[in-house]
Amino acid sequence: MMDALRVLLETSTFNEVLRGLAISILLAKLVPSSAKSQDSTFITASGFLLIYFFARSWLALVNHYAPEPYLDEVFHIPQAQTYCGGRYQEWDDKITTPPGLYLLSVGWHKLMRLAECTPSSLRSNNLSATLLTALLSLSCRRRIEAQTAIGKEKNDVSFYAYHTAINIALFPVIFFFSGLYYTDVASTFVVLVAYRNHLNRVASHSEKPGLLNGLWTVILGMAALFMRQTNVFWVVVYMGGLEAAHVVRGLRPKPIAEKDTPSISLAKLGEFFGFWLKRYAVGDVHDPPVDMAWPDDWVLCLLSIGIAALCNPLRVLRQVWPHITIMGLFVTFVAWNGGVVLGDKSNHIATIHLPQMLYLWPFFAFFSAPLLITPVLSTLAGLFRPAKFTAISNSNTDDTGLSSLRSTKPSTKSTRFSTTELPQTTTPAPSSSTAKSSGPGSPLLNILYFLLSRKLYYPFHLLATMLLSAAVVKYNTIIHPFTLADNRHYMFYIFRYTILRSSSVRLALVFAYTFSRWLVWKRLEGNNNTVSRDFVGEMQLRNGGNKMRWRDEFSASPFATDGLSLARQRFTNRTLDKNSSPETTANSEQKKANDKKEQEEEFLIGTFTTFTPSSSQPSPSTSSPRTSTVLLCLLTTTLSLVTAPLVEPRYFILPWVFYRLLVPAMPVPSSVLSPGSSAPSSNKKGKGDVDATAPAAQQQQPEKGLLWNIVHRTDLTLILETIWFLAINIGTMYMFLFKPFYWKTPGGEMLDGGRVQRFMW
């Protein structure tokens, strides 16, 4: 250990410190912000500085204790050195991936005017890629949050986005290979460049990408394929699918009259489904946030977007032609090459390996363990706290169908894991004068409505997924020879002490897979409890000074309740007069009174916060991703994993990165910090009293201290995630550097030429 300390001191020269500071400040200056200050620049630079010195120390130790190429570096480093010598026609047949990493290294060495491609200089490429990965992750997360932001918020950089980017760079599987010459870090960096370009392409429905941007998209996609072949799924299926969904959501068909909406209780089966097929065809798609979606919503989401895309092919093709071009070029390469991999084809035969999608969830749950604390606490708080809610009756609104909108599927969402009571509202039965009908309704349609609207199928869905998982484990578990033969990888020991123990242990792990999947999905949902939110109040925020969006803008489920789609369209298109609202006037004066206090808190909970300066208004960073986005991410992950017979943590890097970018901020709920204060008691007033429908966030709350506001408005689990990643990284670094071993026969004879073996991912 003293030797390692000496190495770190020798490499931490004054010039190296200045270089680290200069790089960190430069990266911080590249972070866009509408109101950047010296304080925010300092905070941003400190994160990049942490990554730089931590990664630089790791690289220095690797170069000292393992100066020679190790494991796959035995193939990568000589090939890169061959390219550095200008011999581009020479190729090692043992290498399976394209030459993108080596071409990138040649360009880097020429840019930095490095005379020779040594193992140390080649490894340093990944240090630079790690820093740029953090910067790109920040840029991507900012653009994801901008999709649900309004006005100047689109240019803000939340502290959550910044901290998320730092943690992605510190992700143990990425960080470990920042000190070795592997393709994974550079591949992640290039894919994020393509993803950032994609987010720019879908930033607006009104501005369509031009021809030059389309050609640039093709170039970036091909650059990603030059790093790893499996990147084709991310640049074609994921990003192309997201752009297709973006196009159909932008169709925004004209709202239909209530008299033309078929009633579930009166319509014929063919008439009812025919109506909704026509609505989906014109773009009235069902794509709610994932925290408001159930399994039937997943099916409707895919169905509605698929129908809309097929019925509007020219609009979709104008957007996704670059991704189709990339796919065409990839198919051409596969046909020319005779397969996907370049070399060593006998050990890399594509096969169907479904258990990969089961291993995915414990992988996510382990590395995201700190992030899962909040959903667990929220669930426990919901189970044990007294039920409180703000009820809203039909008489409190001036819009028919509004109360039914509050009493349908979004409200029942919380019944899965919470004991919070539902608002006691009634759905007005549609009459024949307001609902198109040709006679008595279909019994099958009423049965479907009964099952789907009340989610009675969910226990059977859960049982079916567990049985399917058990069948996959029993009939499709594949143990690759490399997994059993190489005890240098952690996966060898994971398989040895779990999957390989016995068939009963293997089947028992299905419960761990299921529980991990539930935890990960709950984290994607966030803690936006739909029961405690007030619909009318949110619409006033959306149209008033706070400008909060209604998060269920694209909800078109036939089985939610009668009049749901109509009420949604009519109410979202209604303009509320904020000047005539006494509540808005009161809020304006209250805002002025709080301005001074907010300025004092701005450094800690201002620009870099999960909440906007108005303490009652959730930030875009807390918005859950759309159902189509999550389903496309899951589909892409499936395609990229199930064809690989070998289980390696490196294969899960991109699925985890995209999952992590989608995870919303989840501050500690008020019910956990201060039980019983999360929802005020309801005040029954007349229709004209605005306070009767005011959301909980707008009710007068007791004065809270600065510390309470920081804790309540910040996702503290990110700090725990940073500590968790640092601990794992230090542990794996220690095992690699200071716990070497040798392969020996039972008789003590050295194997592998007496080379030192080291533990790694």
Side-chain angles (χ1 to χ4, degrees), residues 72-73 75-77 79-81 83-84 91 95 97-109 117 121-127 129 177 180-190 222-228 231 650:
D72 287 2
E73 285 186 324
F75 307 107
H76 293 311
I77 288 179
Q79 185 62 54
Q81 291 172 335
Y83 273 37
C84 286
W91 183 258
I95 298 176
T97 53
L101 176 65
Y102 319 128
L103 295 173
L104 203 62
S105 298
V106 171
W108 175 258
H109 278 70
C117 291
S121 65
L122 290 171
R123 288 168 174 172
S124 67
N125 292 353
N126 279 339
L127 187 151
F177 291 103
L180 296 171
Y181 192 62
Y182 275 61
T183 61
D184 304 278
V185 180
S187 174
T188 303
F189 158 68
V190 175
M222 294 307 300
L225 296 188
F226 260 74
M227 304 305 299
R228 292 186 77 93
N231 290 343
R650 293 185 296 134

Side-chain angles (χ1 to χ4, degrees), residues 489-501:
H489 296 285
Y490 295 122
M491 197 56 65
F492 170 87
Y493 301 96
I494 295 175
F495 268 66
R496 178 180 179 181
Y497 294 109
T498 56
I499 295 173
L500 296 178
R501 287 183 67 91

Side-chain angles (χ1 to χ4, degrees), residues 459-613:
F460 301 97
H461 161 80
L462 187 61
L463 178 62
T465 56
M466 294 187 68
L467 292 176
L468 180 61
S469 299
V472 166
V473 168
K474 182 174 179 60
Y475 297 108
N476 195 229
T477 297
I478 298 175
I479 309 297
H480 196 279
F482 286 2
T483 304
L484 300 178
D486 198 339
N487 64 345
R488 294 170 294 186
H489 296 285
Y490 295 122
M491 197 56 65
F492 170 87
Y493 301 96
I494 295 175
F495 268 66
R496 178 180 179 181
Y497 294 109
T498 56
I499 295 173
L500 296 178
R501 287 183 67 91
S502 66
S503 58
S504 58
V505 171
R506 192 178 301 177
L507 287 173
L509 289 173
V510 169
F511 295 98
Y513 303 147
T514 303
F515 183 63
S516 299
R517 182 172 63 245
W518 175 79
L519 285 174
V520 171
W521 201 269
K522 284 295 291 180
R523 192 58 176 88
L524 270 178
E525 292 178 354
N527 60 359
N528 297 297
N529 192 338
T530 55
V531 173
S532 63
R533 296 211 315 259
D534 183 84
F535 179 78
V536 177
E538 289 198 9
M539 290 308 300
Q540 289 172 339
L541 285 172
R542 178 175 182 259
N543 292 279
N546 288 327
K547 300 180 180 179
M548 185 182 2
R549 281 188 173 182
W550 179 29
R551 299 174 56 259
D552 196 21
E553 185 177 1
F554 294 98
S555 177
S557 171
F559 300 105
T561 188
D562 272 350
L564 169 63
S565 181
L566 176 64
R568 167 179 60 85
Q569 292 167 344
R570 185 168 63 249
F571 202 82
T572 52
N573 290 328
R574 188 179 69 179
T575 302
L576 300 180
D577 186 3
K578 64 178 182 179
N579 295 326
S580 62
S581 171
E583 181 182 359
T584 306
T585 304
N587 286 340
S588 177
E589 295 188 4
Q590 180 67 29
K591 182 178 181 300
K592 292 179 181 179
N594 291 336
D595 279 346
K596 183 177 180 180
K597 183 177 180 180
E598 289 174 1
Q599 290 175 0
E600 295 173 353
E601 299 177 359
E602 184 176 1
F603 175 74
L604 290 175
I605 53 176
T607 303
F608 289 96
T609 179
T610 59
F611 276 56
T612 52

Side-chain angles (χ1 to χ4, degrees), residues 715-736:
D715 194 340
L716 298 178
T717 57
L718 266 69
I719 301 175
L720 298 178
E721 184 184 39
T722 303
I723 297 172
W724 177 240
F725 284 172
L726 290 175
I728 296 175
N729 285 327
I730 292 173
T732 52
M733 290 162 58
Y734 176 82
M735 294 297 294
F736 181 85

